[in-house]
Amino acid sequence: MHDQKQRETTDRTDAGPEETAAQRRQRRAQFLRELHEARELRDRVQPRRARAARMRQQMRMRTFRWF
């Protein structure tokens, strides 16, 4: 995984300041995948905190008004 990040960094510097929309979307998709993976890991490692966060989210959704 580290090699992939290093490759992405070198690709970005070779491309220069102009970045295509496809490259940007690809980097964003990779970032979102890693973010999701990190959240899942955190939830597994800290189940009590994860449960509290789920409860807070449920309360937010209950109090949100759908018009």
Side-chain angles (χ1 to χ4, degrees):
M1 189 169 223
H2 180 68
D3 295 333
Q4 185 180 5
K5 283 193 182 297
Q6 191 174 13
R7 206 174 330 120
E8 288 178 33
T9 306
T10 55
D11 289 347
R12 226 177 299 139
T13 55
D14 293 342
E18 314 86 35
E19 181 181 36
T20 66
Q23 288 172 328
R24 185 186 151 292
R25 282 193 305 270
Q26 188 177 17
R27 278 193 312 113
R28 183 175 186 274
Q30 178 68 27
F31 169 77
L32 292 175
R33 277 193 298 271
E34 290 174 0
L35 180 64
H36 184 68
E37 182 182 337
R39 285 182 178 161
E40 285 179 348
L41 177 64
R42 186 184 62 200
D43 291 350
R44 278 197 311 271
V45 173
Q46 301 174 337
R48 185 179 296 157
R49 186 174 290 177
R51 182 174 187 269
R54 273 196 314 274
M55 294 297 171
R56 282 193 300 274
Q57 177 64 19
Q58 287 174 355
M59 285 303 291
R60 259 185 253 128
M61 293 307 287
R62 279 190 212 126
T63 56
F64 184 78
R65 302 181 93 188
W66 298 92
F67 290 104

